[in-house]
Amino acid sequence: MPHTVGLLIDALLALDRSRVRRILLEAGSPDGLEAAFEELMTTALEEIGAEWEKGRVALSQIYMAGRICEEAIDELLPPREGGRHGAPRLAIATFDDYHMLGKRLVYSMLRAAGYQVFDYGRAELESLLFRVREDRVDILLLSVLMLPAALHIADLRRRIDQAGLKLKVIVGGAPFRFDATLWREVGADAMGRTASDAITLVRRFSGGIA
Amino acid sequence: MMTSLQRIAAALACREPDRVPFFLLPILHGARELGLTIREYFSRPRHVVEGQLRLRRKYGHDCLTAFTYAALEVEAWGGEVIFRDDGPPNAGAPIIRSADAIGQLVPPEVGRTDCLLQGLETLRMLKEAAGDEVPVIGSVIAPFSLPVMQLGFEAYLDLIYDRPDAFARLMALNEEFCVAWANAQLAAGASSITYVDPVGSPTIVPRELYLRTGLPIAQRTLARIRGTTAISFASGRCLGIIDDVATTGAAAVSVSTDEELGAVKRACRGRLAVVGNLNGIAMRSWSEADAGRAVKRAIASAGPGGGFILSDNHGEIPWQVPESVLLSISHAVHTWGNYPLTWTQTDE
Ligand code: B12
C-alpha cells in the first residue's frame, strides 16, 4: 500500500489521468473497489495537503488532484444510492463570503473519502440556520477567505447554540491559517489548515462510525 | 535625517538608509479617520487623499498609497463591486462566463474609465501633497492574477490547465491593460508600481508552471512599465522562485509570514530589496509588547546591510487592527530601526 500511494501521488501531481486510473484499478481490495479507492485516494490527498502546508506543493495541484479523483470516482465506480449507513450528515458552505474555491476543494476531498455532503453554496446566517435544521446536519463545514467573514462565524455559532442545535462546526480558509487561535475565538469545534484535514476531522467527530 | 523618499530609494538600492523604512498600509482606516463608511470613503479621491495624509501624520510611515481595492480593476472591465462596512470590498460575479467568451473580450481604455480616472486623480492629489518628501505608491493586479476576479478561481484554474489557447489570449489582453494602467499611474505621479501577483506564488501554482506562465508575463509586462516596480505575492510564498523574480526587473519583493524573512533576504543577495513580513491578520489581537517583539524580530532578520522595508506581509492592514497596535508598530520602528543596527549583534 505505501508504495502504491506514492505512485498515485506522483500520477496525480503529474496530472496523468490514465496512470491514476490504472493504479486505482490494479489496487483492488478484499472489501471491493470502492473501499480500495477511498483508502488510496484519501491517503494520497492527505499527503498532498500536508506537502502544501510545508510549501512543497501548490494549491493548483491540490485542486487538480481533487478534480482527477472525482473524475475517477464518476467514471469507475457505480453511482452511490443515498448516504452510507451510519455516516454523519454533512453540509458545507462558503459563509458570508464570495470566494468559492476553498469549499470546492474540501468538497472534492470528502467525496474522494466516500462521504456525501449537502452543498449549500454561498450562504448567509439565516438561510444556513434554516437549512442545517431542515437537513438534520451533524457536522457543518464552513469555508471563508476574508477576515470579516471569519469573525462573523461567531454570530452563527451563537445562533446555533441558542437554537439548541447539537451540530459540530469545522472551519477553514486563509484567515484561520494566518491566525492559529481564531477558530477558538469564533466558537468553532475545529479548524482545518488544508482541505484534506476535513477528512480527518469528520472522522474524529463521527466517532469512528464512518 | 533623510526624507522618506531618500530612505526608500536607499533601501531599494539595497543600501542602509538612516532608519529602516516602513510601509504601513492602512488602506481602509482612512474611512474611520474621516467618520465615513468604507463605501463613502472610496467614492471620492479627496477622501482617500485626506485619509492617507492624516494616517501618515499619525503613524509616521514612509509612504502614501493610492491603492483602494483590488476589485477596482474588474470594475474597470465592467464588473460589480460589493461593499461591506467591516472590511474591503470584493469583486462580484465573474465578468467572463466561459472560456469562449474571451474571444470577444475588449479591455477597458484607461482614459475613458471612470473608476480608473478617479484613481489617477487620487494619485495626482497625493503627489501634489507629497512633493519630494514621500513616495506615492501605485499598484496594478498582474495579468496572471487578475483572472481570478474576471472568471472566478476555479474557472481560471480550469482555463490554465485545459484551454491554453484562451488562456494565452486573455493574458495578451490583460498585459496591454496592465501596462497602460501602470504607465498612467506613473504619469499621474506614482513613484513606483507594486505589481500584485499572488497567483504566481508557489503557494498557488508550482514553479514549473510559473516558469511557463506568470514569469514570462511578469518579465514582458514589467519591461514595459516605465518606472520602478516591486512584486507583491500578497502573503503567498516566494522563497522558491526568488532567482526567477530577480530576472523580472523588479526592485523589491514582498515576503509572507509563512516564510523566514532572513532566508528570503539571503536568497535575494542584493538583487532585490525585501518588504515584509508582519502578520496583518494576527496583528488584530497583538499587545504593545507583541508588536514590539515582531518589529524587532523582523528588523534583526532583514535590517542589517539595508535592502529592507518593514511592512505587513500582505499590503493592507485589516480594518479590525486597532490604532493602538499600529502606534506600537510605529513606535518600535522608530526606536529599534535606526542604522547602524548595532543592537542586532548583541540582542536576540
Ligand atoms: C491569490 C490571492 C488574491 C488574488 C485572488 C483572490 C481571490 N481568490 O479572489 C487577488 C490578487 C485578486 C487578491 C485580491 C484580494 N485579496 Co487576496 N489573497 C490571495 C492569496 C495569496 C490566496 C487566496 C486564495 O484564493 N487562495 C485559495 C484558497 C482556496 O485558499 P485557502 O483559503 O487558504 O484554503 C486552503 C485551506 O485554508 C483549506 N480550507 C479552505 N476552506 C476550508 C474549509 C474547511 C472546513 C477546511 C477543513 C479547510 C479549508 O483548503 C485550502 C487548500 O488546502 C491570499 C493569501 C494566502 N497566502 O493565502 C490573499 C488573501 C486571501 N487576500 C486578502 C485580501 C484582503 C484581498 C482583497 C480584499 C484586497 C483588497 N483590499 O482588495 C482582494 C479581494 C479580491 C476580490 N476577490 O474581490 C486577505 C484576506 C484576509 C483579510 N485580510 O481579510 C488574504 C488572506 C491575504 C492576507 N494575508 O491578509 N488576492
Side-chain angles (χ1 to χ4, degrees):
Chain A
M1 186 64 118
H3 175 64
T4 316
V5 170
L7 293 177
L8 180 60
I9 293 173
D10 291 345
L12 286 170
L13 295 181
L15 312 181
D16 189 338
R17 291 176 171 78
S18 50
R19 191 145 47 105
V20 168
R21 281 191 195 99
R22 212 165 44 241
I23 294 167
L24 288 170
L25 288 172
E26 279 168 10
S29 156
D31 305 330
L33 208 53
E34 189 168 329
F37 269 42
E38 277 169 23
E39 169 88 31
L40 268 176
M41 290 193 296
T42 306
T43 320
L45 292 170
E46 282 175 339
E47 185 59 34
I48 291 173
E51 289 294 293
W52 179 65
E53 277 194 67
K54 292 179 202 141
R56 294 202 286 250
V57 151
L59 190 117
S60 68
Q61 295 173 296
I62 300 184
Y63 169 70
M64 287 306 283
R67 211 181 96 175
I68 294 171
C69 285
E70 283 188 294
E71 287 165 10
I73 296 170
D74 291 339
E75 282 167 34
L76 306 176
L77 292 181
R80 178 180 271 149
E81 300 292 325
R84 192 187 332 192
H85 182 68
R89 295 173 70 83
L90 308 180
I92 188 165
T94 299
F95 180 63
D96 187 30
D97 202 313
Y98 298 91
H99 301 90
M100 311 299 280
L101 184 61
K103 174 175 75 63
R104 170 77 174 91
L105 297 174
V106 175
Y107 186 86
S108 14
M109 301 298 141
L110 290 171
R111 265 203 79 199
Y115 290 101
Q116 292 219 325
V117 186
F118 294 109
D119 184 350
Y120 295 159
R122 210 190 89 69
E124 300 292 338
L125 200 152
E126 297 300 334
S127 68
L128 206 51
L129 269 178
F130 177 81
R131 297 185 75 170
V132 292
R133 197 200 301 251
E134 197 84 337
D135 293 332
R136 291 173 288 115
V137 167
D138 300 309
I139 302 176
L140 174 62
L141 298 114
L142 299 174
S143 177
V144 297
L145 193 70
M146 295 292 124
L147 177 61
L151 293 168
H152 197 185
I153 292 175
D155 298 325
L156 176 67
R157 175 86 241 190
R158 209 168 304 122
R159 294 286 303 277
I160 288 174
D161 293 346
Q162 280 166 4
L165 298 172
K166 290 277 166 284
L167 56 87
K168 298 285 184 199
V169 177
I170 302 177
V171 297
F176 295 107
R177 287 196 302 106
F178 283 98
D179 180 349
T181 60
L182 188 56
W183 66 276
R184 284 183 195 279
E185 185 185 330
V186 302
D189 296 292
M191 180 265 278
R193 295 189 62 82
T194 181
S196 53
D197 286 355
I199 305 171
T200 329
L201 293 168
V202 163
R203 283 183 178 161
R204 191 209 293 169
F205 286 126
S206 40
I209 24 173
Chain B
M1 205 177 74
M2 289 176 148
T3 62
S4 290
L5 198 61
Q6 291 165 332
R7 199 169 287 133
I8 297 295
L12 291 180
C14 295
R15 283 187 280 107
E16 288 191 354
D18 58 342
R19 149 171 81 64
V20 169
F22 138 65
F23 277 180
L24 191 72
L25 299 160
I27 308 298
L28 305 164
H29 289 63
R32 203 171 274 151
E33 294 291 325
L34 270 63
L36 299 172
T37 64
I38 290 169
R39 181 185 207 129
E40 286 163 354
Y41 176 66
F42 286 140
S43 70
R44 298 270 179 279
R46 64 185 156 80
H47 294 161
V48 177
V49 172
E50 180 59 25
Q52 282 291 309
L53 294 175
R54 284 197 201 177
L55 290 164
R56 182 160 182 265
R57 279 198 290 274
K58 191 175 261 177
Y59 302 115
H61 45 284
D62 293 300
C63 65
L64 296 168
T65 175
F67 176 79
T68 49
Y69 46 88
L72 179 87
E73 292 201 17
V74 277
E75 188 178 349
W77 289 71
E80 182 201 3
V81 177
I82 302 166
F83 283 85
R84 60 187 297 158
D85 290 336
D86 56 356
N90 283 174
I95 51 157
I96 304 175
R97 300 217 170 73
S98 75
D100 295 321
I102 292 170
Q104 283 88 55
L105 196 66
V106 182
E109 271 181 59
V110 175
R112 290 169 178 231
T113 309
D114 285 346
C115 64
L116 302 180
L117 289 171
Q118 270 202 34
L120 296 176
E121 179 62 17
T122 306
L123 266 168
R124 268 189 291 275
M125 290 163 70
L126 280 173
K127 175 63 192 169
E128 200 176 301
D132 289 329
E133 141 70 27
V134 56
V136 182
I137 304 173
S139 56
V140 292
I141 307 296
F144 187 55
S145 288
L146 187 61
V148 178
M149 293 187 291
Q150 292 173 308
L151 290 116
F153 216 151
E154 181 178 352
Y156 181 41
L157 291 174
D158 291 342
L159 185 82
I160 295 178
Y161 285 106
D162 304 339
R163 293 292 304 270
D165 54 328
F167 168 74
R169 155 121 183 115
L170 182 59
M171 289 306 110
L173 297 174
N174 284 358
E175 280 178 44
E176 288 311 310
F177 170 69
C178 182
V179 168
W181 173 221
N183 284 331
Q185 292 183 58
L186 289 165
S191 323
S192 65
I193 298 291
T194 303
Y195 179 88
V196 183
D197 197 13
V199 177
S201 155
T203 298
I204 307 292
V205 299
R207 176 168 180 261
E208 59 275 17
L209 180 61
Y210 181 61
L211 294 183
R212 285 186 280 121
T213 53
L215 179 65
I217 292 164
Q219 288 166 332
R220 283 196 298 269
T221 306
L222 295 191
R224 294 169 63 200
I225 296 178
R226 294 187 288 270
T228 304
T229 54
I231 296 195
S232 165
F233 291 109
S235 81
R237 294 171 190 263
C238 69
L239 187 54
I241 53 169
I242 282 299
D243 289 340
D244 309 317
V245 174
T247 66
T248 60
V253 63
S254 75
V255 183
S256 170
T257 328
D258 285 341
E259 287 178 323
E260 213 257 291
L261 188 57
V264 178
K265 169 94 190 277
R266 282 190 295 281
C268 286
R269 284 186 280 113
R271 296 171 296 175
L272 292 156
V274 295
V275 185
N277 72 342
L278 303 179
N279 185 337
I281 293 182
M283 206 180 268
R284 190 175 64 89
S285 27
W286 280 358
S287 66
E288 203 172 305
D290 293 335
R293 262 194 303 276
V295 168
K296 278 184 80 173
R297 200 180 321 117
I299 292 179
S301 333
F308 173 53
I309 298 172
L310 182 83
S311 181
D312 77 288
N313 82 147
H314 172 231
E316 171 178 56
I317 305 286
W319 174 249
Q320 287 75 12
V321 174
E323 184 177 312
S324 56
V325 170
L326 299 181
L327 285 169
S328 306
I329 292 173
S330 169
H331 179 73
V333 192
H334 288 91
T335 309
W336 299 101
N338 297 310
Y339 283 103
L341 299 170
T342 36
W343 64 268
T344 58
Q345 284 139 33
T346 47
D347 238 68
E348 291 190 296

